[in-house]
Structure formats: structure tokens, C-alpha cells
């Protein structure tokens, strides 16, 4: 057996002072670095060092003294552990700090401290060698995981250099552990004896029923179950009203023959009553700093949502009996509304339960069925409480905007009692027929739009908008969450595949166009599948070559590898060939895997002729850009509208043509024959592409006016301009909704100027700073200002016949 070479550490080591535990040789621990000395050590040695020795540190256990000066070096422990820094993770929020993953190598003794600033460095003497006791590494690691009460024992074990001293230290700890296991075993034995005595009662009772004893076996078992059920009712902590109902029902059950259909119904009802968590709850974790870190780690961006959760935690610290808020996250699909609800539950330390409401059209799904019906059961709220086992979980009411309505009632109306903080402390399910307190439940609803939520239900919820992500946010989400998840699901490692941020940006801009990240996640999945095929083929080739080596012998191994090398290097990546790994995904690889880009058409190509303008629309899936096209022809003055338009959009088109006809002389707009009457012997056709999609709303008014002005003036609308706003017959521009989603859609499309109503200027505060820097915004209060901003050089006004005046 080959011997292991001893580990030699440098004679001088930088000292890392940690108060989070004692690192023993052979064990691994994570430690937080936030003091000035330790921060300077990490930046100077670990982040800038290039050699292996620069990652070896001296770890000294340190107990902070509140009375000592933070600038002075505290007294150092004599014995320390030389450690290898395996991983360094840094963050600037809420303040600069690092997290180190370090592995203990061997112990050392401080000879003298050479310097104290900016971080301590000491001359050290190595005390032991790691390979001398190879079988003790696992024991050291287990001892390192002891709780804080054994901190002093861990320090003594660290100081014990010889093996005999270490045994003297560890044997008392092991004896204490053995005594604890004996006590646990004795307790379990007593419990088993009690169970045996309970089981032994049944045969004794059956002896008294000698005639027909076999027929009475099932009845005796049921009687025992009823006794157990009655005991549970007596010892439960349910309210007085519910307890009275259960006592009444158990009396009826005792007198009821088992053959009656109502027997099983009553028994199921009582079992549900004793299983419900009437007074059982979990204790909230109210550490706001830890909650902030957890939310930041799980979700990128979503600042408004995170702020609301932290506010709830802060108030919960000040008032213990705070009623659970009713939150409603509204945003497009794929932005993380459902996963945020799960993270909120994890942050609070509560149980989580999701109730999918999409397509529910029966109020009994919410309130339950009355027990007079066959097959009756409680509603989803009570059933969810039974599942989680506590009365203060986080309930996620998913897709609350997709509730239906039928002859069985309106489930949205049934939710009014559930989601009303003033009423849900006394919620009555039809199946239970007694009140249950829901005031401690934290309800979170999700929806894509508030348009389909009844006003009364909407009034009971606190709406929190969750907008779509910017390109920069998508890139961060992809590299923090999506790519690691896909690599794990496909059995790949970062050493086998690398996806640069430039490639991620190409996928976002050329292969997806969405507010969320679901399509982006699917694209990464397709890339990982393609790479998995290459990796698997490479492993197969390697195994084939190995079998050939065995068959042919070592003498022909070099020739076989030489013959196979061109194929394995050029065609398929091979884990045995390091130069082929990792596989770098660039634009050419994207084209091979995902096909040609899906969104390659330039906006400028669509605006290469008069009569085309770009509008901004809001949909439940997020903001979208919308082209408006117009053409004119000889006719009888008719206006044709196509593209599945709603009544409101049709009215906007009629308003636009009426305003332009009344201002034709002002802007010198004429038809094909030169008349200022734009509809004189002229038909106009307005079309909104994507004809399969229904469109409605007033926000396309300014776009229609700009499109028609371009058609009649013969001038091109700027190719980098998008606009939104409602118009009036007098030429005023009124505010509209969904500004943030619309602006993000314009940014995704590569546009540079956005025209919005002046009264929507306040909504620009919600736009991320990097998006505001990339776009220029024009706030307009009238159509004159809109036209002036939509055309290069402005839109001129004709003040006298034959003369075009200066810009507006």
C-alpha cells in the first residue's frame, strides 16, 4: 500500500479569526467574514492570490469581548488549524461580507505574531500530520457539528496534540451520548409495553361474548375505535361550541347501528373534527435580516413585493395577535408569483398549501357540502387546514382571476367570507357547520389581471403588482436560478457546459419575447438536452475504446487512440478529453440547437412607408408592441376596421378620423385629389396585425391618429418611437394604465423613444433605472405634442395657404 505524503504548510500564515465554531483537521465548515481584518485578508490573499499557498489560512477560534477595542488585536488562542479555502462567495447587501467554505488540514502552534495590520500574520509551527490518523477524520467532522454547549470541549480537543490526550477528551462525550441512547431505548420499551396491555384487553372482552364470538369481532373493534375517538374529543382543544357538537354526535353514533349509511358519515365527520388544528400553530421566525437574505437568494428583483413581506414581519414583531393580511399578486405568467408565495412561507417558518382555483365553478369547493348529501366533503379551505396540521399556514389561492360561475353557485362570492379580515375569524364551512378561525392564516392570491375579479372580492385584497422583467433582470435570473436548475435536472456540471451572458442575451432577444422567464427556461432545457447527447456519446466512445484496449493489449493502445482521436475530438465531446470540456454555447451553437432566430424582423422595415405607427398594448401576459397600418383608396368615404377590434377601439378609430378631418387645413392634410375633406371620394382601411388576437381598449387612440397623419401627409413615422394614450374629440391626451409593462415591451423591442400622456408621468418612477437611461420619454397633453414628437423634425402647421410654418 502506498503511503500518503505529509501535508507541509507554510511557515508564515495569515490568521482568520472566527467566532462561529472550532475547525478541526479533516472537517469542513462555512464561516462568515464581515470584520475589517478578515475582509482585508480575503481581498488581499484569496481574491488576488494565484498560487495554491495563497489559499491556505490559519483559522483561530475567537471569542469576542464587548469591552475590548475593535481596532486592537484580541488575545489569540495558542493552537489553530491550517485550512484550505475551497469557496469564496461575496455580497454587498446589506453590507459588504464574504462567506468562506474552508477545510481543516492540520494543527499548528503560533510561534510569534509578525504583524497585526491590515490583517494578522504569524510565524507558525506545524504540530501534526493528517495521514497519521486517517480513520479519525469522520469522527472529527462529527465532533465539529456538536451544539454550542460543547464549544469549550471542541477547543480542548483542538489543543490536545497527542492521541492519548484526545481520547481522554472524547471518551466522556461518548459515554454521555451512550447514556442518552439507553434512556431513549428504555422510554420506547415502556411505550411498547403499554401498547401490548391495550391490545391484551380485547381478547378478554371477547371471552364474555362466547355465543357468536366470531361474528362480534368486528363490532368489538369498532367499539374500541369509538372509545378512542371519544377520548380524542375529550382531550382536544376545540372551542366550546364545536366540542358540544362532537359530544352530541358521538352519543348518536353509539346508539346507531353500523349498517346505517349515516354511521360512516358521522364517524368521518368526528374524525375530521378531532384532526383539525383548532389551536395548533407554528411559531413565526421574525428575524428580518435573515428573511431579507432568504428572499434575495430565492428571487431576484421584485422589490415592492419583498418590501411588503418585511413590513408584515416588522409589525408582527410589535404585535403578536396581528391578523394575516390578504395579499394579491397581479402580474403576467412566469414572473414568479406562485414561487414567491412558497418563499414567504419558508421565510416565516410556516406551513405552505396551494389551492388551484382555475376553472372552479362550484361554491361547494370553497364552503363544502352539507352533510345531508351523499358523498359530502369539506371545502378546500378546511381540507387544506387538515393537510397542513396548523391553523396559521400560508394559503396560496392560485389563479383567482380564472374562477368560473355555474348553476352550483359562484365560488368568487364564497371567497368573500374567506378573504374578509373582519369575518374570517368566524368562517363556517357547510360540512363542519361550526365556526373555524381563519384570522391567523396568511392568504396570498395570484392573478394575471384584475379585470375578471369581481369588484367586491377585489376590494378585500391588497393588490401588489408584479411586472415583467427587464433584459438585465432576466440575465441575472438565468445565471442565478434557471441554468443551475437545468444543469441539475439534466445531470450536467459547469465543467461540461458554459453559457456566457452574451449567449443568454441572444436567447432573450432573438428566441423569446415574454414578460416572464418560462420560455427562457425551456430554451435552456433544450440546450442542456443537446449537450447531454454529446456528453453521452463521448462516454460511449470512451467505453468502447477501453474495451478495445483490453482485447488488443497495451501494445496497441496508442494506435487505437490515435485512430479514434479525429472523430472523438471533432464530432462529439468526450469527458476523457479535457480540451473538449466545457462545451461553450455561442450564437452558432444556438442556431444549431434552437434553429434560426424567431424574432429577427427589424421594426424599421415595418415603418418603411407612410401609414404605419407603433403602439403599446397591455395584455395579461405583459406589455406588447402593436403595429397600426392604414391605407387609402378611391371610394365613398367609408372607414374599414380589421383585426378583431373591440367596441372601445373602434370608437377610438372614429375619434381619430374625426379629429384629423377637423384639423386637416391646420396640418395641410389632403386626400389623393388634393381636397382637405379627407373622406371625399376616399375610403380608409385601418388594420391591426395579429388578427387572431382580440384587441380592445382606449390606449390606441394616439397611435391611430399618428398612423392616419402619416398616411395623409406622406411622411414616415420615426422607426424608434412607440406611443400610448387615450384621445378626446378636442385633441386632448388622457392617461391610461399598464405604463410599466408597456415601457418594458418597448425596451425589449429595441425602441428608443416612448410617448405617454402627461398625467402618466408619475408612473415613470416604477421603471427600473437602466431602462429609463436607455429610453427617452415624451409626455404629451395634446395631440399636437404627440405628432410633433412622432415625426423627424416635428409635424408642421399650415398657418396660411401655401405656407408651412415652424415646428410646434
Amino acid at each position: 500500500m502506498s503511503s500518503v505524503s505529509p501535508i507541509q504548510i507554510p511557515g508564515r500564515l495569515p490568521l482568520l479569526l472566527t467566532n462561529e465554531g472550532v475547525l478541526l483537521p479533516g472537517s469542513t465548515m462555512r464561516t462568515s467574514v464581515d470584520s475589517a481584518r478578515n475582509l482585508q485578508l480575503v481581498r488581499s490573499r484569496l481574491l488576488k492570490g494565484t498560487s495554491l499557498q495563497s489559499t491556505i489560512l490559519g483559522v483561530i477560534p475567537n471569542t469576542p469581548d464587548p469591552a475590548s477595542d475593535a481596532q486592537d488585536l484580541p488575545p489569540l488562542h495558542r493552537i489553530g488549524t491550517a485550512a484550505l479555502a475551497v469557496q469564496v462567495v461575496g455580497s454587498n447587501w446589506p453590507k459588504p461580507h464574504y462567506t468562506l467554505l474552508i477545510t481543516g488540514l492540520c494543527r499548528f502552534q503560533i510561534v510569534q505574531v509578525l504583524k497585526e495590520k491590515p490583517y494578522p500574520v504569524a510565524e507558525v509551527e506545524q504540530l501534526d500530520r493528517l495521514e497519521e490518523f486517517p480513520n479519525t477524520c469522520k469522527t472529527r467532522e462529527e465532533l465539529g457539528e456538536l451544539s454550542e454547549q460543547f464549544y469549550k470541549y471542541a477547543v480542548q480537543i483542538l489543543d490536545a496534540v497527542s492521541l492519548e490526550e484526545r481520547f481522554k477528551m472524547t471518551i466522556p462525550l461518548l459515554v454521555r451520548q451512550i447514556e442518552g441512547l439507553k434512556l431513549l431505548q428504555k422510554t420506547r420499551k415502556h411505550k411498547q409495553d403499554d401498547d401490548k396491555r391495550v391490545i391484551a384487553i380485547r381478547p378478554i372482552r371477547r371471552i364474555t361474548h362466547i355465543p357468536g364470538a366470531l361474528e362480534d369481532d368486528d363490532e368489538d373493534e369498532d367499539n374500541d375505535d369509538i372509545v378512542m375517538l371519544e377520548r380524542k374529543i375529550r382531550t382536544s382543544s376545540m372551542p366550546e361550541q364545536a366540542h358540544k357538537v362532537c359530544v352530541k354526535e358521538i352519543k348518536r353514533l353509539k346508539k346507531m347501528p353500523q349498517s346505517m349509511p349515516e354511521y360512516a358519515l358521522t364517524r368521518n365527520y368526528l374524525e375530521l373534527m378531532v384532526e383539525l388544528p383548532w389551536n395548533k400553530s407554528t411559531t413565526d421566525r421574525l428575524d428580518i435580516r435573515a428573511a431579507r437574505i432568504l428572499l434575495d437568494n430565492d428571487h431576484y428583483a421584485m422589490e415592492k413585493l419583498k418590501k411588503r413581506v418585511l413590513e408584515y414581519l416588522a409589525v408582527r414583531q410589535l404585535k403578536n395577535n396581528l391578523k394575516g393580511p390578504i395579499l394579491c399578486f397581479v402580474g403576467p405568467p412566469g414572473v414568479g408569483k406562485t414561487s414567491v408565495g412558497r418563499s414567504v412561507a419558508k421565510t416565516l417558518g410556516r406551513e405552505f398549501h396551494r389551492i388551484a382555483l382555475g376553472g372552479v365553478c362550484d361554491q361547494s369547493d370553497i364552503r363544502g357540502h352539507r352533510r345531508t348529501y351523499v358523498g359530502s366533503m369539506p371545502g378546500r379551505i378546511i381540507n387544506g387546514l387538515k393537510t397542513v396540521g396548523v391553523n396559521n399556514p400560508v394559503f396560496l389561492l392560485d389563479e383567482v382571476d380564472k374562477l368560473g360561475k355555474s348553476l352550483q353557485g359562484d365560488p368568487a362570492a364564497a371567497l368573500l367570507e374567506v378573504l374578509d379580515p373582519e369575518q374570517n375569524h368566524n368562517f363556517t364551512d357547510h360540512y363542519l357547520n361550526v365556526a373555524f378561525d381563519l384570522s391567523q392564516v396568511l392568504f396570498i392570491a395570484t392573478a394575471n389581471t384584475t379585470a375578471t375579479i369581481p369588484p367586491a372580492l377585489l376590494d378585500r385584497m391588497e393588490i401588489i403588482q408584479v411586472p415583467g422583467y427587464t433584459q438585465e433582470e432576466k440575465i441575472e435570473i438565468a445565471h442565478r436560478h434557471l441554468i443551475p436548475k437545468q444543469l441539475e435536472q439534466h445531470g450536467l456540471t459547469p465543467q461540461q457546459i458554459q453559457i456566457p451572458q452574451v449567449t443568454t442575451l441572444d436567447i432573450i432577444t432573438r428566441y423569446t419575447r415574454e414578460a416572464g422567464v418560462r420560455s427562457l427556461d425551456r430554451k435552456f432545457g433544450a440546450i442542456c438536452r443537446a449537450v447531454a447527447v454529446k456528453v453521452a456519446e463521448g462516454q460511449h466512445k470512451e467505453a468502447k475504446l477501453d474495451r478495445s484496449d483490453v482485447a488488443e493489449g497495451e501494445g496497441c493502445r496508442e494506435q487505437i487512440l490515435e485512430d479514434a482521436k479525429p472523430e472523438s475530438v471533432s464530432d462529439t465531446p468526450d469527458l476523457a478529453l479535457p480540451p473538449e470540456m466545457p462545451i461553450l454555447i455561442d450564437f452558432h451553437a444556438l442556431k444549431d440547437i434552437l434553429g434560426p432566430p424567431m424574432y429577427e424582423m427589424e421594426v424599421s422595415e415595418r415603418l418603411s412607408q407612410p401609414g404605419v405607427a407603433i403602439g403599446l398594448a397591455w395584455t395579461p401576459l405583459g406589455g406588447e408592441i402593436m403595429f397600426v397600418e392604414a391605407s387609402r383608396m378611391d371610394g365613398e368615404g367609408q372607414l374599414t376596421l380589421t383585426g378583431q377590434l373591440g367596441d372601445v377601439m373602434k370608437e377610438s378609430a372614429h375619434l381619430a378620423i374625426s379629429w384629423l378631418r377637423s384639423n386637416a387645413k391646420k396640418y395641410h392634410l389632403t386626400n389623393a385629389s388634393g381636397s382637405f375633406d379627407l373622406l371625399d371620394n376616399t375610403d380608409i382601411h385601418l388594420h391591426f396585425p395579429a388578427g387572431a388576437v382580440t384587441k380592445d381598449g382606449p390606449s390606441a387612440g394616439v397611435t391611430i391618429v399618428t398612423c392616419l397623419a402619416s398616411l395623409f401627409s406622406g411622411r414616415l413615422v420615426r422607426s424608434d418611437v412607440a406611443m400610448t394614450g387615450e384621445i378626446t374629440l378636442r385633441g386632448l391626451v388622457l392617461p391610461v394604465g399598464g405604463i410599466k409593462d408597456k415601457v418594458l415591451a418597448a425596451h425589449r423591442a429595441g425602441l428608443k423613444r416612448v410617448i405617454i400622456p402627461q398625467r402618466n408621468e408619475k408612473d415613470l418612477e416604477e421603471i427600473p433605472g437602466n431602462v429609463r437611461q436607455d429610453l427617452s420619454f415624451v409626455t404629451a397633453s395634446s395631440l399636437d405634442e404627440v405628432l410633433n414628437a412622432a415625426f423627424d423634425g416635428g409635424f408642421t402647421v399650415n398657418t396660411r395657404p401655401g405656407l408651412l410654418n415652424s415646428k410646434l
Side-chain angles (χ1 to χ4, degrees), residues 249-544:
E249 292 293 329
I250 197 70
K251 290 180 180 178
R252 291 181 62 243
L253 188 66
K254 289 179 179 179
K255 300 176 183 178
M256 196 181 301
Q258 296 182 15
S259 58
M260 287 187 62
E262 194 176 353
Y263 181 88
L265 296 178
T266 305
R267 181 171 172 174
N268 291 339
Y269 171 77
L270 291 173
E271 289 177 350
L272 173 65
M273 291 290 283
V274 298
E275 290 178 1
L276 285 178
W278 298 95
N279 286 317
K280 184 180 178 181
S281 60
T282 56
T283 303
D284 287 349
R285 288 199 300 258
L286 302 178
D287 188 348
I288 295 182
R289 181 180 179 183
R292 190 192 303 274
I293 294 174
L294 180 61
L295 289 174
D296 289 339
N297 290 340
D298 287 351
H299 296 277
Y300 186 76
M302 296 186 176
E303 299 303 327
K304 184 184 297 186
L305 190 149
K306 296 177 186 176
K307 177 183 176 183
R308 182 62 184 88
V309 174
L310 294 176
E311 289 173 351
Y312 171 76
L313 283 177
V315 178
R316 185 73 174 78
Q317 279 186 345
L318 302 178
K319 187 175 182 181
N320 292 330
N321 59 348
L322 178 66
K323 294 181 179 179
I326 315 294
L327 306 178
C328 182
F329 301 157
V330 179
V335 296
K337 301 184 297 295
T338 302
S339 59
V340 164
R342 196 180 304 273
S343 294
V344 169
K346 185 167 65 173
T347 301
L348 295 172
R350 293 191 181 189
E351 297 293 331
F352 176 80
H353 186 71
R354 175 179 173 269
I355 300 177
L357 297 179
V360 173
C361 57
D362 188 351
Q363 69 160 352
S364 297
D365 279 359
I366 307 299
R367 281 207 185 108
H369 304 82
R370 298 191 184 278
R371 285 189 290 135
T372 54
Y373 295 104
V374 177
S376 59
M377 62 182 66
R380 295 194 182 189
I381 304 296
I382 295 298
N383 192 50
L385 290 169
K386 173 190 171 184
T387 302
V388 297
V390 292
N391 64 359
N392 64 338
V394 174
F395 269 11
L396 184 75
L397 306 178
D398 214 1
E399 309 292 355
V400 74
D401 59 326
K402 298 175 180 60
L403 286 169
K405 186 186 296 186
S406 66
L407 296 176
Q408 285 74 34
D410 184 3
L415 279 176
L416 294 178
E417 181 183 5
V418 176
L419 300 182
D420 191 342
E422 301 300 326
Q423 300 181 26
N424 63 8
H425 66 281
N426 203 26
F427 171 71
T428 303
D429 185 274
H430 287 165
Y431 184 84
L432 294 185
N433 205 27
V434 292
F436 194 96
D437 186 5
L438 300 179
S439 62
Q440 298 304 313
V441 178
L442 175 56
F443 287 102
I444 297 177
T446 68
N448 296 133
T449 176
T450 58
T452 56
I453 302 177
L457 181 59
L458 194 65
D459 181 62
R460 283 163 166 77
M461 299 185 294
E462 179 182 346
I463 305 299
I464 298 179
Q465 295 291 338
V466 185
Y469 297 119
T470 64
Q471 291 182 1
E472 290 76 11
E473 290 172 344
K474 288 183 179 180
I475 292 175
E476 288 292 332
I477 292 171
H479 287 269
R480 291 188 183 190
H481 303 288
L482 302 184
I483 295 177
K485 182 189 75 172
Q486 290 293 344
L487 293 183
E488 181 181 359
Q489 290 180 354
H490 291 83
L492 298 174
T493 64
Q495 288 73 33
Q496 295 171 326
I497 177 176
Q498 283 189 0
I499 304 178
Q501 291 193 356
V502 176
T503 303
T504 304
L505 182 60
D506 282 339
I507 300 175
I508 293 171
T509 56
R510 298 188 177 190
Y511 291 90
T512 64
R513 186 161 290 176
E514 58 176 347
V517 291
R518 282 182 181 160
S519 294
L520 181 62
D521 191 29
R522 287 191 287 268
K523 299 300 180 185
F524 286 129
I527 293 172
C528 290
R529 289 193 297 271
V531 173
V533 172
K534 296 291 185 182
V535 172
E537 288 177 350
Q539 291 176 338
H540 177 72
K541 285 179 177 286
E542 180 188 0
K544 185 176 181 181

Side-chain angles (χ1 to χ4, degrees), residues 3-7 129-134:
S3 61
V4 181
S5 59
I7 298 174
R129 298 189 303 175
L130 191 58
E131 80 281 3
E132 289 181 356
F133 312 107

